[in-house]
């Protein structure tokens, strides 16, 4: 199977050999633009964010835009470690459920260990903020992220990316 990423056109072209018809089949799949929020407050935080960028580009899709990195105190728990936070736009062919699985795998590869059922220090945290205009409310997946609008460390990078439209507010 051959893939050609056409980021500017937002399509992925597949060229696949069909043994039934003895010819190539070409399919086009629309890429979905999503926004991810990343944060780190353990170790070399900038290096952690850069590694996450690389893994996301390798496993999930094309990073089309990055916000600046912001330094912030922890939110929702006590920590002496300051966070570095950023947001990115990514074009992907993956479903939102596959993106979630891939993000959890990336966090684990990078050494994230959850030892408590509540917030704690972490080498990397990656959240799906938006996935196209999709609205999902499942036990393990909520899109848009349910608390992004309460967090300045997400809102400021979103504004920098030009992402201000919440699909929940456009229910015409």
């Amino acid at each position: 199977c051959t893939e050609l990423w056409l980021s500017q056109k937002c399509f992925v072209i597949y060229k696949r050999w069909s043994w039934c018809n003895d010819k190539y089949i070409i399919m086009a799949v629309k890429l979905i633009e999503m926004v991810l929020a990343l944060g780190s407050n353990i170790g070399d935080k900038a290096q952690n964010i850069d590694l996450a960028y690389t893994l996301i580009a390798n496993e999930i899709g094309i990073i089309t835009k990055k916000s600046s990195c912001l330094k912030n105190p922890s939110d929702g728990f006590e920590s002496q470690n300051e966070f570095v936070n950023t947001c990115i736009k990514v074009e992907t062919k993956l479903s939102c459920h596959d993106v979630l699985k891939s993000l959890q795998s990336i966090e684990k590869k990078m050494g994230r260990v959850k030892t408590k059922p509540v917030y704690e220090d972490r080498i990397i945290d990656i959240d799906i903020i938006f996935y196209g205009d999709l609205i999902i409310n499942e036990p393990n997946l909520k899109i848009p992220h349910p608390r992004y609008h309460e967090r300045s460390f997400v809102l400021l990078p979103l504004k920098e990316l030009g992402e201000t439209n919440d699909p929940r507010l456009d229910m015409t």
Side-chain angles (χ1 to χ4, degrees), residues 51 73 87 141:
L51 178 56
C87 286
L141 181 60

Side-chain angles (χ1 to χ4, degrees), residues 40-43 48 51-52 55 103-115 120-126:
S40 176
N41 79 329
I42 298 176
N48 295 340
L51 178 56
L55 294 171
L103 292 175
Q104 291 169 338
S105 173
I106 289 169
E107 289 177 341
K108 189 173 181 179
K109 282 180 197 172
M110 290 184 63
R112 179 164 182 189
V113 179
K114 294 182 181 182
T115 59
E120 60 186 332
D121 291 326
R122 46 206 173 266
I123 194 164
I124 194 70
D125 182 43
I126 311 170

Side-chain angles (χ1 to χ4, degrees), residues 17-113:
W17 182 258
S18 170
W19 297 105
C20 300
N21 300 331
D22 202 29
K23 60 184 173 184
Y24 281 102
I25 297 172
I26 297 177
M27 298 181 291
V29 178
K30 188 173 192 305
L31 293 175
I32 300 295
E33 184 176 77
M34 65 179 170
V35 176
L36 303 176
L38 295 82
S40 176
N41 79 329
I42 298 176
D44 186 333
K45 300 159 199 167
Q47 185 177 352
N48 295 340
I49 298 288
D50 284 341
L51 178 56
Y53 288 157
T54 300
L55 294 171
I56 289 166
N58 289 341
E59 298 178 27
I60 296 175
I62 302 163
I63 298 174
T64 59
K65 198 168 185 183
K66 300 175 186 175
S67 74
S68 313
C69 289
L70 302 174
K71 293 182 179 180
N72 305 283
S74 62
D75 183 26
F77 71 104
E78 293 294 320
S79 176
Q80 298 301 313
N81 300 319
E82 188 175 57
F83 268 89
V84 170
N85 295 95
T86 187
C87 286
I88 58 175
K89 282 187 178 182
V90 179
E91 291 178 346
T92 187
K93 64 180 180 176
L94 300 179
S95 72
C96 57
H97 294 93
D98 287 340
V99 168
L100 178 63
K101 287 178 196 167
S102 294
L103 292 175
Q104 291 169 338
S105 173
I106 289 169
E107 289 177 341
K108 189 173 181 179
K109 282 180 197 172
M110 290 184 63
R112 179 164 182 189
V113 179

Side-chain angles (χ1 to χ4, degrees), residues 95-163:
S95 72
C96 57
H97 294 93
D98 287 340
V99 168
L100 178 63
K101 287 178 196 167
S102 294
L103 292 175
Q104 291 169 338
S105 173
I106 289 169
E107 289 177 341
K108 189 173 181 179
K109 282 180 197 172
M110 290 184 63
R112 179 164 182 189
V113 179
K114 294 182 181 182
T115 59
K116 301 176 186 175
V118 294
Y119 295 128
E120 60 186 332
D121 291 326
R122 46 206 173 266
I123 194 164
I124 194 70
D125 182 43
I126 311 170
D127 292 326
I128 302 170
I129 304 302
F130 300 123
Y131 181 90
D133 59 0
L134 196 62
I135 300 171
I136 293 184
N137 190 9
E138 298 174 358
N140 295 322
L141 181 60
K142 296 184 184 345
I143 299 174
H145 189 285
R147 290 175 306 283
Y148 85 89
H149 62 284
E150 301 168 358
R151 299 173 170 172
S152 62
F153 61 85
V154 175
L155 290 174
L156 293 172
L158 281 178
K159 186 175 181 183
E160 188 178 328
L161 293 178
E163 282 295 322

